Amino acid sequence: MMRRAVVVAALCGGLGGTGCVSVSHVQTADTLGAGKFQFAIEPGVGGAAVIGESGAAGVYYPHIDLAARFGVTERLDLGVRFGSSLAELQSKFLLTTPDDPNLAISLAPSVMGVFLGNVDDAIGSYVNVAVPLLVGFKTAGGSELVLGPRVSATRIAAGSSTENAAVNLLSVGASVGYALRVTEGFRLMPEVGISVPIVGEFNTTDSSSELGAGFEGGFVQFKLGFLFGRGRSIRRDVRDYNTADSSDVDI
């Protein structure tokens, strides 16, 4: 019973009528490159389901975000995302060599959430911290297949000065997307992501904390990203990776 309560609270609090739970990244594993800017439109659809002995209960909802990212250095991007994902701060740290024409691996921590309340009485809050590992396989034409295993921590709290309740969840998930290079300044990126809570804690003012695992439910999301802006220059000919110094092109 506790497991079902945790999942239902997470779904209701996380969705909040807008589908704010985000389990997708909609970006390449490679960074943009120093001084480069990218703007993204990310429409899609999400779903949340709880599966029990009596069957499955789910809800599906539209999901759309706008994102902007900037290449601070060759290995670091910073960005923001607004919309169904509420307000999200994004970062991306490239772990591989910036000019590798075959592979890009990066960590992309992000934090998203919202707080609703006033000075005297807090109404509620939703905070999600995600740490995905993005692995991108590049093509000679500038496209990139992106795999994104991730771990995330979510806290949903609500209450007043006398009564409070909170749900804490630890989830694992993954995503797969393909950033198709259409032109030098535009990529089209379909992506599917899933996230499943594995450990949860539920507590209220009147009761001690309860732990649970195996929640028989989770989230799924599909997005189609429209990415505007040139990425870094790459060497199109893999054979010249170690020797070429003049075959760079912008993507």
Side-chain angles (χ1 to χ4, degrees):
M1 189 68 176
M2 180 268 166
R3 295 177 181 178
R4 181 65 62 85
V6 170
V7 174
V8 171
L11 299 185
C12 296
L15 296 175
T18 64
C20 67
V21 174
S22 181
V23 297
S24 59
H25 314 295
V26 199
Q27 57 178 305
T28 60
D30 201 3
T31 47
L32 296 171
K36 301 292 182 63
F37 177 82
Q38 183 182 80
F39 174 73
I41 304 173
E42 306 171 7
V45 62
V50 177
I51 303 173
E53 295 180 357
S54 59
V59 58
Y60 298 91
Y61 47 87
H63 194 113
I64 184 168
D65 291 308
L66 301 177
R69 305 180 184 96
F70 180 73
V72 180
T73 69
E74 291 299 316
R75 292 179 177 269
L76 172 63
D77 285 355
L78 295 178
V80 294
R81 182 157 66 174
F82 294 97
S84 299
S85 297
L86 306 176
E88 180 177 358
L89 300 178
Q90 298 179 328
S91 63
K92 184 162 56 179
F93 302 88
L94 183 65
L95 304 179
T96 51
T97 304
D99 58 357
D100 189 328
N102 300 309
L103 182 68
I105 300 177
S106 61
L107 283 175
S110 65
V111 57
M112 57 179 280
V114 66
F115 174 81
L116 301 173
N118 52 53
V119 176
D120 300 321
D121 216 11
I123 298 175
S125 63
Y126 171 88
V127 178
N128 183 78
V129 178
V131 183
L133 177 69
L134 302 181
V135 182
F137 301 92
K138 304 178 185 179
T139 70
S143 299
E144 187 176 317
L145 173 66
V146 185
L147 306 180
R150 59 183 272 152
V151 176
S152 61
T154 305
R155 178 175 175 82
I156 304 167
S160 64
S161 58
T162 57
E163 294 182 319
N164 294 279
V167 175
N168 299 302
L169 290 175
L170 179 66
S171 304
V172 297
S175 65
V176 58
Y178 188 73
L180 174 66
R181 178 183 179 271
V182 180
T183 68
E184 290 186 359
F186 174 64
R187 284 176 172 169
L188 187 64
M189 186 172 184
E191 184 180 83
V192 176
I194 61 172
S195 181
V196 178
I198 56 173
V199 178
E201 178 190 54
F202 179 75
N203 57 72
T204 67
T205 304
D206 300 325
S207 65
S208 59
S209 298
E210 296 181 63
L211 295 176
F215 301 107
E216 302 175 337
F219 298 93
V220 63
Q221 193 170 84
F222 170 79
K223 278 190 172 182
L224 182 61
F226 299 84
L227 312 182
F228 301 91
R230 294 186 176 186
R232 74 168 70 256
S233 299
I234 66 167
R235 291 180 171 86
R236 298 286 290 277
D237 192 340
V238 176
R239 294 172 300 176
D240 295 335
Y241 173 47
N242 294 319
T243 59
D245 58 5
S246 61
S247 61
D248 290 352
V249 295
D250 286 336
I251 61 169

